[in-house]
């Protein structure tokens, strides 16, 4: 900007008074000089118009609405965690809790609801065995069991029906293998759906940055650990959660 | 903007372990911090994560707040701004990595603003129109350099005074004013270009 004098005001002085002029805090005399310069100096007049327009755009910008879960998530990631150790570890994992809950609700809940129910049935193991043998013979995949009624009474009924045909065929050890195998099959069928949106993959690139470890920790830890935590919340686990990863191998060996 | 005594009391109660006091602080400041993060970082997801980070940091460092040294809102804004700087550096590095990975430049920056915005010529509804304008201004804000962007956000969207902004940004007030005006002017130029292209 050329630094010339117009109406007793230099361009740099005009520049320094811009904010005050827009805020309406200039004295009468200063404002008169300011406006006179704006009229006579093309560069400063244009600048003033732009600055004013920019401010007006921003003034009209509405406040963004935070997500409804924000406060809850903040509280959960601060006071929700009691021990000092967790307080320093937890925060970075919290942000996507709602997302995980969503995944859990959408994908895991039906499976858990199904798997949980037979715990109340005394004959769960054998009934499940009988069912899965029957269904395997009929060419039904474990994932299709979702459609089958697993009420204890229904299971018991199915068990006794099938038992008539196959009960002498296997011993208890094989039954345990088969139950594990069926559950492992279900888990395998569920697993591919677990990875979330593209986000975690993108964030993984962050570890090339110079961010404090806590941020990297967030990126790495959240997906895996949260899922484990999520399953822990489901209440006491009996057979299903204790199911070792190795049971998949067992299944393959068995079949 | 805030009653110094009330805030000081809230902070003392928080430090003493009063969860209700903390919740009051979260309720009072979450919108403000979220908006600062959203306008600076650009994305709602990032804003949500950043806002949580801000509160976690606040929660851990609350005892270091000294109300005799400045307003609580200045302290909170400083924490937020520092996290935003980290975030900016991080994402900038990501962008560099991205462009090295993909070779071809698919930078958002390379795309004219007019291609990112909805058609402004025929919105039937004024509310829809209003939202589209907001999105356009928001997108233009993201085109400003971080120094200019933070200055105009703090002044025009967060209504802070120049002295507070100078404290947060750790630069003289004159610099603050100059950045605000350059930021506003740059924004107006970007939007003028956009609207001329679209209409
Ligand atoms: Zn001039």
């Amino acid at each position: 900007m050329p630094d010339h004098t117009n109406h007793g005001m230099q361009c740099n002085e005009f520049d320094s008074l811009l904010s005050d002029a827009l805020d309406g805090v200039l004295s009468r005399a200063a404002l008169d000089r300011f406006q006179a310069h704006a009229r006579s100096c093309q560069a400063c007049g244009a600048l003033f118009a732009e600055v004013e327009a920019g401010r007006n755009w921003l003034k009209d910008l509405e406040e963004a609405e935070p997500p409804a879960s924000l406060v809850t998530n903040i509280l959960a990631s601060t006071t929700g965690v009691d021990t000092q150790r967790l307080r320093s570890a937890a925060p970075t994992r919290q942000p996507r809790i709602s997302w995980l809950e969503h995944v859990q609700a959408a994908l895991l809940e039906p499976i858990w609801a199904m798997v949980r129910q037979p715990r109340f049935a005394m004959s769960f193991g054998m009934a499940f065995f009988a069912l899965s043998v029957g269904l395997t013979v009929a060419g039904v995949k474990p994932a299709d069991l979702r459609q089958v009624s697993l009420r204890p009474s229904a299971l018991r009924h199915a068990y006794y029906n099938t038992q008539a045909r196959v009960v002498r065929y296997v011993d208890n050890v094989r039954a345990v293998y088969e139950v594990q195998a069926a559950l492992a099959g279900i888990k395998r069928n569920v697993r591919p759906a677990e990875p979330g949106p593209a986000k975690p993959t993108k964030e993984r690139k962050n570890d090339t940055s110079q961010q404090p470890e806590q941020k990297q920790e967030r990126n790495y830890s959240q997906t895996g650990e949260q899922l484990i935590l999520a399953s822990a919340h489901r209440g006491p686990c009996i057979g299903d959660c204790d199911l070792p990863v190795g049971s998949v191998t067992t299944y393959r060996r068995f079949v | 903007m805030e009653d110094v005594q009330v805030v000081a009391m809230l902070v003392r109660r928080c430090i003493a372990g009063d969860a209700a006091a903390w919740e009051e602080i979260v309720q009072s400041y979450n919108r403000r911090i979220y908006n600062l993060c959203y306008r600076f970082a650009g994305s709602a997801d990032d804003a949500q994560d950043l806002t949580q980070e801000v509160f976690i940091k606040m929660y851990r460092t609350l005892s270091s707040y000294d109300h005799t040294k400045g307003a609580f809102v200045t302290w909170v804004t400083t924490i937020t701004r520092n996290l935003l700087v980290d975030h900016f550096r991080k994402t900038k590095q990501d962008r560099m990595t991205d462009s090295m990975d993909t070779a071809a430049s698919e930078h958002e920056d390379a795309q004219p603003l007019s291609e990112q915005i909805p058609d402004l010529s025929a919105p039937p509804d004024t509310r829809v129109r209003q939202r589209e304008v907001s999105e356009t201004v928001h997108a233009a804000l993201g085109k400003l350099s971080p120094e200019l962007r933070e200055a105009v956000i703090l002044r025009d969207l967060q209504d802070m005074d120049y002295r507070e902004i100078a404290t947060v940004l750790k630069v003289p007030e004159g610099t603050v004013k100059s950045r605000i005006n350059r930021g506003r002017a740059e924004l107006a130029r970007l939007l003028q270009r956009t609207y001329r292209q679209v209409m």
Side-chain angles (χ1 to χ4, degrees):
Chain A
M1 191 183 302
D3 212 26
H4 58 264
T5 307
N6 274 12
H7 292 268
M9 181 178 279
Q10 291 198 325
C11 291
N12 58 359
E13 192 190 350
F14 181 90
D15 210 30
S16 69
L17 292 178
L18 254 174
S19 307
D20 289 346
L22 279 170
D23 294 341
V25 297
L26 283 187
S27 68
R28 189 69 249 171
L31 187 63
D32 286 346
R33 287 172 61 230
F34 181 87
Q35 285 171 338
H37 184 92
R39 278 191 299 270
S40 58
C41 173
Q42 209 181 359
C44 289
L47 178 68
F48 182 74
E50 280 176 345
V51 171
E52 190 176 31
R55 189 200 56 166
N56 291 340
W57 282 115
L58 290 164
K59 212 163 62 180
D60 290 344
L61 199 55
E62 286 173 353
E63 190 180 55
E65 193 60 38
S69 57
L70 184 62
V71 170
T72 317
N73 289 349
I74 291 168
L75 292 175
S77 60
T78 50
T79 49
V81 188
D82 283 337
T83 72
Q84 197 62 45
R85 187 187 62 82
L86 277 175
R87 197 177 293 167
S88 52
T92 48
R93 260 186 258 129
Q94 294 301 330
R96 257 171 256 281
I97 193 162
S98 55
W99 172 77
L100 282 162
E101 277 167 359
H102 181 74
V103 169
Q104 187 188 313
L107 298 171
L108 299 180
E109 196 58 50
I111 311 300
W112 278 110
M114 187 191 76
V115 171
R116 232 171 357 187
Q117 282 181 31
R119 283 192 204 131
F120 303 107
M122 294 284 286
S123 56
F124 163 61
M126 287 307 287
F128 207 115
F129 157 64
L131 260 177
S132 52
V133 167
L135 290 168
T136 307
V137 166
V140 179
K141 287 182 209 143
D144 299 328
L145 284 174
R146 242 174 279 214
Q147 315 302 329
V148 178
S149 167
L150 286 179
R151 279 177 298 111
S153 59
L155 285 172
R156 228 173 280 127
H157 186 67
Y159 165 58
Y160 286 119
N161 279 348
T162 321
Q163 193 186 40
R165 275 168 278 146
V166 295
V167 73
R168 292 186 189 283
Y169 178 63
V170 209
D171 58 31
N172 285 339
V173 175
R174 296 189 84 165
V176 169
Y177 273 131
E178 190 61 39
V179 169
Q180 285 189 336
L183 283 167
I186 290 167
K187 287 194 168 186
R188 260 208 319 273
N189 279 308
V190 169
R191 204 159 289 151
E194 279 174 18
K199 194 151 217 166
T201 323
K202 186 187 143 226
E203 285 187 356
R204 208 153 291 147
K205 285 173 189 156
N206 292 348
D207 55 82
T208 56
S209 80
Q210 296 166 333
Q211 279 304 291
E213 309 83 61
Q214 55 158 344
K215 291 194 180 149
Q216 293 182 19
E217 192 187 309
R218 168 175 67 154
N219 297 328
Y220 282 119
S221 62
Q222 53 183 350
T223 312
E225 286 186 46
Q226 276 293 346
L227 284 170
I228 292 163
L229 283 172
S231 48
H233 285 311
R234 296 283 99 196
C237 287
I238 307 167
D240 43 15
C241 343
D242 296 330
L243 194 69
V245 183
S247 60
V248 175
T249 327
T250 310
Y251 182 66
R252 284 185 184 136
R253 239 183 310 161
F254 182 64
V255 169
Chain B
M1 194 174 280
E2 64 186 32
D3 186 324
V4 177
Q5 294 308 316
V6 171
V7 174
M9 175 57 84
L10 264 182
V11 171
R12 272 198 299 276
R13 279 169 54 203
C14 278
I15 294 165
D18 183 342
W22 172 244
E23 189 171 346
E24 208 175 321
I25 288 180
V26 174
Q27 293 286 4
S28 311
Y29 291 91
N30 79 85
R31 289 185 78 88
R32 184 180 178 86
I33 294 170
Y34 176 82
N35 268 270
L36 173 50
C37 294
Y38 176 61
R39 295 306 180 192
F40 186 86
S43 102
D45 279 351
D46 285 349
Q48 196 176 353
D49 288 355
L50 285 161
T51 307
Q52 274 187 258
E53 279 186 55
V54 170
F55 277 101
I56 287 156
K57 191 154 188 187
M58 268 170 77
Y59 191 67
R60 288 200 203 134
T61 57
L62 209 54
S63 55
S64 72
Y65 169 64
D66 181 353
H67 72 274
T68 62
K69 284 186 182 161
F72 188 66
V73 74
T74 310
W75 185 73
V76 168
T77 307
T78 306
I79 291 178
T80 311
R81 192 260 175 175
N82 290 343
L83 282 169
L84 288 172
V85 171
D86 291 348
H87 174 79
F88 178 80
R89 287 190 191 136
K90 185 176 75 181
T91 52
K92 195 173 84 178
Q93 212 145 25
D94 276 357
R95 284 198 296 272
M96 280 162 61
T97 317
D98 281 350
S99 56
M100 282 190 287
D101 286 349
T102 55
S105 167
E106 43 181 20
H107 272 217
E108 211 195 0
D109 311 314
Q111 198 184 7
L113 200 58
S114 56
E115 284 175 24
Q116 294 170 35
I117 59 161
D119 178 18
L120 292 166
S121 53
D125 185 317
T126 49
R127 285 180 71 99
V128 173
R129 163 106 193 177
Q130 171 71 35
R131 200 175 59 231
E132 285 171 353
V133 171
S134 285
E135 281 166 15
T136 311
V137 178
H138 181 76
L141 202 49
K143 304 267 170 208
L144 299 183
S145 74
E147 288 82 13
L148 303 188
R149 199 190 316 162
E150 64 184 2
V152 296
I153 291 172
L154 293 178
R155 177 62 191 165
D156 290 328
L157 301 180
Q158 304 263 303
D159 293 317
M160 292 181 90
D161 64 38
Y162 301 111
R163 197 158 44 100
E164 285 175 321
I165 298 171
T167 307
V168 170
L169 303 184
K170 297 178 185 70
V171 293
E173 267 185 63
T175 308
V176 169
K177 288 183 176 180
S178 146
R179 284 184 190 173
I180 290 167
N181 290 328
R182 275 159 56 212
R184 287 164 169 169
E186 179 64 26
L187 189 78
R189 281 194 286 271
L190 283 164
L191 289 165
Q192 269 160 26
R193 217 175 299 157
T194 301
Y195 278 86
R196 216 176 291 144
Q197 277 174 9
V198 170
M199 285 174 167

